Amino acid sequence: MENGAVILGASLWRRQFGGDPAVLGRIIRIEGDPSTVVGVMPDGFSFPDRAEAWVPAAILTNRGNSYLQVIARLGPDVSLPQASAEFKTLTARAQAEAPDERRVMAVHLVPLQEYLVGDVRTSLAIFLAAVGLVLLIACANVANLLLAQAATRPREIAIRTILGAGRRRLVRQLLTESLVLALAGGGAGVLVAAWILNVFRGTLPDAVPRLNTIGIDRWMLAFAAIVSILTGVTFGLAPAWRTAKADLNTALKSGGTRGAGGADRSRLRSVLVVAEVSLALILLIGAGLLLKSFVTLRTRPLGFNPIGVVIANVTLPEASYVTASQVKGYFREALARLQAQPDLQGAGLISALPLARSGARIRGDVTPEGESGERKGLWVNKLAVGGDYFRAMGIPLLRGRVFDVHDNTQAPGVFVISQSLADRLWPGQSPLGRHVSIWRGEPREIVGIVADVKQDGLKQGPVPAVYEAFEQVGEARRWTVGEMTFVLRTTGSATLAVQRLRTTLLGIDGNVPLYDVASLQDVVAGNAADPRFYALLMGSFSLIAFVLSIAGIYGVVSYSVRQRTHELGVRMALGARRSNVIGLVLREGMLLVGIGTVLGVAGAYAATRTLARFLFRVGVTDPATFVAVPLLLIIVALVACYIPARRATTMDPLRVLKYE
C-alpha cells in the first residue's frame, strides 16, 4: 500500500521535529496512517481552523461529500457574480439528473477575505468611533486646561508684545507648547498600548480575526505621531489665539490675577464641558447595553451543569479501527475502566459536545409514528452518547429512563429525545413508547425525555435533539463514533482526572492521543468570549471617558470658583449663607451637566442602534440603561461640583476683600 502525503505547519515542525530540515521525505503517522512529509508551510499559515498539518482529501463522487468546503481561484476575467451564475447552472443540472427532495442543493460563493475576517468592518468602525470619542473628550480636557493656564499669562504675553513679539510669534510659541504636550501624551500612549498588547496577547477572542497579529510597527508609530500633531494643533489653536490677542492695558492692570478669563473664555470652557459630558454619556450607555447583554447571555440556562466537568477528545484512526464494531469496542473498554474510578461521579461519551462546534452529528428531518412522511419544517440533531453521559453533564431526566448496558447491538433500537422535540411532535401528550425515525432511518422507540441543552451557541435557542446509544450505531455509520468526546464529572482534582483518563486510554492503545482537553466551564466561557470582549472594550473606553469628563467638570467648577473669589467673598461679607453660596456654584456646574446629559441621551438614542447585532435580548433603547446611566453620571457630577463649592464657603471674606 502506497503511503499518503502530509504537509506540516511551521509550529508543528518546530515543536515535534525540532525544526529539522531533514524531515522532508520522513514517514510519520497521521491518525495511524503512514504518511510521507512532502513540505513545511511558512510561519503564520494555519488555514483553515488553525490547522497544523494537511493531507490530501478523499473526495467522494456521491452527495455524501456535501460537508466539504471548496477553495477556488477565479480566472482574471471572471467576476464573482459570473462564477455564482455558473455554479447555479451546474447544481441545477445535477439536481435534475439525480433528484433528492430531502435537501436543496445550493452553492454559496464567498470571497476568501470575507470568509477569513467575517463581518468585522462594523465592529471595527464602532470601536474606532469609541476611540475617537475618548480622544475628543481628552482633547477637550486639554483645551480647558490650556485656557485655564492662559488666564494666568496675560501679563507675560503683554510684556512680550511690548518688547516686540508679534501675534504670529506668540501663537507659534503657544502652539509649540501644545504640540510638546500632545507628542508627550502620544509617546506615553504608545508605551501603554505596547504593555496592553503584551498582557492580553493570546487571550483575545475570535470576535475580530487576526487580533494576535497586531503589533507596534512603523505604521502604527506614524499614525500615533500624526494624530498627536493634529490634536495638538487643533485643540491648542483656539487657546493660543485667544491668549495672543489679550488686551495689553487690561492685562497689565490686572497683574494676571483676574479679568483674564473673560466671557468668551468662560463660554468656550462651558461648551467644552457640555461636549465632554454628552460624548461620555454616549459611550457609557453603549457600554451599559453591552454589559447587560453579556450578563443576560451568561445567566441564561444552559440545560447542563458545567461545574466540575472535564472534557477530552479522541479520534480513532481508520487504519487501526476500520469498522464501527472496533471503534465501539475501544470506547466500551475505556468507559468500563473509567467508571471504576472512585472519584468520578460520572463518565460518558458524546459524538458532538454542546457548544464545542465540533464532532459528528446527523441533522435531518424527523418522521413521527403515525405519519406517512417527514414533519415539514422540523430538523433535529441526532447524537450518539455512551456511559453516564447525562449524569456526567448534569442534564436532567424529565421522564422515562436513559440508556443502560442493555441497550446494545442485540437489543431493539431506542431513542432518548429532548423536551422541545416532544413538545413539537406530541404537545400535551406523553411520547414514551412511541416511535420516531430520523432522515428515513429505522423507527425506534422513545424511552426517555431529557432537558434541552444549548448545542450550537449561547445565543441560539434549543435545537430539538434525538440521542441514541453509541452501541446501537450502525456499521455503515462508523464516522459517527470515530471521533468522540469524553465527559468526566469529578469530585476531586480536574488535573488528576485528566491524568487518569490519559493513563487509561494509553493502557488500551498507546497510539491514540487525547486532544482539546479542557474544563466544560472553559468551553462555556469560550462561547461568551466575543460578547465579553466587546463589553470589556467598550466598558474600558467608557470608564476613561467618564473619568475625564468628571475631571473636566471638577476643573471648570474649581476654576470658576477661583475666578469668582472676590464676588463670593463680597456675597459672604454681605451676609450670604453657606448654603446660598454652595447652591450658586452647584447651579452653575449642574446646568452644564444637565445640558450635556440631554444631548448625550439624544445622541445615544441615535448611536446605539449600531450595536443591535452585538446585543442579546436587550433593546438598543433599553429603558433601564437609559435611565440608570445618566442618573449615575449626574450623581457623580454633583459630587464633583460640590467639592469646590464646599471649598468656596471656607474662605474668610475679610482676607479675600483685603487681598483684592
Side-chain angles (χ1 to χ4, degrees):
M1 179 179 176
E2 184 179 354
N3 294 334
V6 61
I7 298 176
L8 304 178
S11 60
L12 177 63
W13 173 52
R14 293 192 181 95
R15 187 173 67 249
Q16 296 293 334
F17 304 99
D20 184 8
V23 73
L24 295 179
R26 183 173 170 180
I27 298 176
I28 63 175
R29 288 189 173 273
I30 301 293
E31 294 186 351
D33 297 323
S35 303
T36 303
V37 179
V38 297
V40 177
M41 295 302 294
D43 285 312
F45 185 84
S46 58
F47 177 80
D49 301 328
R50 300 179 182 176
E52 292 189 300
W54 297 264
V55 297
I59 301 177
L60 303 175
T61 57
N62 56 34
R63 293 190 178 180
N65 62 6
S66 58
Y67 63 92
L68 293 173
Q69 292 179 324
V70 178
I71 309 296
R73 181 177 293 277
L74 301 182
D77 299 325
V78 180
S79 66
L80 189 64
Q82 289 174 331
S84 297
E86 185 173 350
F87 270 108
K88 287 181 180 179
T89 302
L90 293 174
T91 53
R93 185 184 305 164
Q95 179 71 2
E97 293 175 355
D100 187 350
E101 69 276 10
R102 291 180 299 173
R103 68 176 73 180
V104 177
M105 292 185 60
V107 176
H108 302 282
L109 300 187
V110 179
L112 183 59
Q113 181 178 3
E114 180 180 330
Y115 175 82
L116 290 175
V117 302
D119 185 17
V120 74
R121 185 168 300 175
T122 303
S123 307
L124 294 179
I126 289 173
F127 290 112
L128 181 61
V131 172
L133 293 181
V134 174
L135 179 62
L136 287 175
I137 293 171
C139 290
N141 250 348
V142 172
N144 254 329
L145 292 175
L146 291 175
L147 286 170
Q149 183 192 34
T152 65
R153 302 179 67 180
R155 184 177 180 85
E156 172 198 343
I157 298 301
I159 293 174
R160 288 179 181 272
T161 303
I162 292 173
L163 293 177
R167 181 173 294 178
R168 290 186 178 181
R169 182 173 180 178
L170 292 174
V171 170
R172 188 164 59 246
Q173 174 195 338
L174 297 172
L175 273 181
T176 301
E177 296 174 1
S178 175
L179 281 173
V180 170
L181 289 175
L183 290 172
V190 169
L191 295 177
V192 173
W195 174 76
I196 291 175
L197 282 176
N198 289 332
V199 170
F200 292 101
R201 193 183 301 278
T203 63
L204 299 171
D206 296 330
V208 182
R210 299 178 63 80
L211 275 180
N212 289 327
T213 64
I214 296 176
I216 306 296
D217 56 15
R218 58 181 180 176
W219 296 106
M220 197 285 302
L221 293 175
F223 175 78
I226 292 172
V227 170
S228 299
I229 293 172
L230 288 177
T231 53
V233 172
T234 303
F235 289 88
L237 187 59
W241 183 259
R242 289 183 175 277
T243 302
K245 71 172 187 177
D247 182 72
L248 298 182
N249 292 328
T250 304
L252 291 174
K253 288 178 182 179
S254 67
T257 59
R258 284 190 304 110
D264 289 344
R265 283 200 180 95
S266 178
R267 282 194 294 269
L268 181 56
R269 285 194 298 271
S270 298
V271 169
L272 290 174
V273 169
V274 169
E276 286 185 61
V277 172
S278 59
L279 295 177
L281 194 55
I282 292 174
L283 287 176
L284 285 168
I285 290 177
L289 292 174
L290 289 173
L291 180 60
K292 185 175 181 179
S293 172
F294 173 68
V295 172
T296 303
L297 186 68
R298 287 304 308 267
T299 55
R300 198 180 186 198
L302 299 170
F304 57 87
N305 180 13
I307 300 175
V309 178
V310 180
I311 60 102
N313 284 16
V314 169
T315 299
L316 298 181
E318 292 189 37
S320 305
Y321 298 85
V322 180
T323 65
S325 297
Q326 292 174 314
V327 171
K328 290 186 283 187
Y330 173 90
F331 287 119
R332 186 186 309 121
E333 183 176 356
L335 285 173
R337 295 189 184 188
L338 289 172
Q339 289 169 344
Q341 301 288 344
D343 57 346
L344 289 181
Q345 289 184 324
L349 291 168
I350 187 167
S351 59
L353 184 75
L355 303 180
R357 304 172 187 172
S358 62
R361 56 178 163 166
I362 295 175
R363 293 200 65 183
D365 298 299
V366 57
T367 302
E369 179 183 278
E371 298 185 16
S372 58
E374 297 149 342
R375 180 72 65 90
K376 299 299 182 183
L378 178 59
W379 273 52
V380 301
N381 286 326
K382 185 179 181 182
L383 306 127
V385 301
D388 298 326
Y389 170 74
F390 297 106
R391 185 171 66 174
M393 286 287 289
I395 300 175
L397 174 65
L398 304 180
R399 279 177 285 177
R401 67 174 179 87
V402 294
F403 304 118
D404 56 33
V405 294
H406 302 292
D407 297 312
N408 51 34
T409 307
Q410 288 73 38
V414 294
F415 282 148
V416 171
I417 66 173
S418 64
Q419 179 65 56
S420 61
L421 181 58
D423 293 339
R424 295 283 297 275
L425 294 180
W426 299 285
Q429 305 177 43
S430 174
L432 298 180
R434 298 177 184 264
H435 291 71
V436 69
S437 63
I438 301 298
W439 212 348
R440 298 183 179 177
E442 63 176 80
R444 295 190 180 186
E445 180 185 357
I446 299 171
V447 296
I449 304 172
V450 295
D452 291 296
V453 301
K454 294 290 182 182
Q455 183 70 34
D456 297 321
L458 295 177
K459 290 186 176 182
Q460 279 71 34
V463 179
V466 167
Y467 301 92
E468 67 174 326
F470 86 101
E471 291 276 16
Q472 295 186 337
V473 171
E475 284 295 321
R477 289 196 288 112
R478 186 248 180 231
W479 58 271
T480 305
V481 292
E483 176 186 349
M484 299 287 278
T485 300
F486 282 94
V487 180
L488 308 178
R489 178 171 293 277
T490 177
T491 57
S493 166
T495 303
L496 181 59
V498 172
Q499 290 176 348
R500 289 181 175 177
L501 174 61
R502 198 181 305 275
T503 302
T504 298
L505 299 185
L506 289 176
I508 301 173
D509 188 340
N511 294 320
V512 177
L514 286 176
Y515 63 95
D516 289 345
V517 179
S519 71
L520 192 55
Q521 286 179 288
D522 290 339
V523 174
V524 176
N527 278 260
D530 292 358
R532 181 177 63 241
F533 174 71
Y534 288 133
L536 178 62
L537 200 59
M538 186 66 81
S540 301
F541 294 150
S542 303
L543 180 61
I544 296 172
F546 178 72
V547 172
L548 289 175
S549 299
I550 296 302
I553 295 169
Y554 175 81
V556 166
V557 175
S558 295
Y559 178 77
S560 176
V561 169
R562 288 198 303 270
Q563 291 298 103
R564 300 174 64 182
T565 299
H566 180 71
E567 174 198 341
L568 297 177
V570 171
R571 288 176 180 271
M572 295 179 67
L574 294 176
R577 292 180 296 180
R578 289 188 173 185
S579 59
N580 294 333
V581 174
I582 291 176
L584 179 67
V585 177
L586 285 180
R587 280 194 297 273
E588 179 183 289
M590 293 308 295
L591 176 62
L592 302 179
V593 174
I595 297 173
T597 300
V598 172
L599 294 177
V601 170
Y605 183 82
T608 53
R609 299 182 186 279
T610 60
L611 297 176
R613 62 186 295 265
F614 303 104
L615 301 179
F616 174 72
R617 292 195 171 183
V618 175
V620 293
T621 57
D622 178 60
T625 304
F626 271 76
V627 171
V629 172
L631 184 62
L632 173 64
L633 178 63
I634 290 173
I635 292 173
V636 177
L638 182 63
V639 175
C641 293
Y642 177 79
I643 294 174
R646 180 70 177 82
R647 189 185 302 126
T649 63
T650 62
M651 298 183 298
D652 185 352
L654 295 180
R655 292 185 61 185
V656 171
L657 295 175
K658 181 179 179 180
Y659 176 73
E660 292 294 336

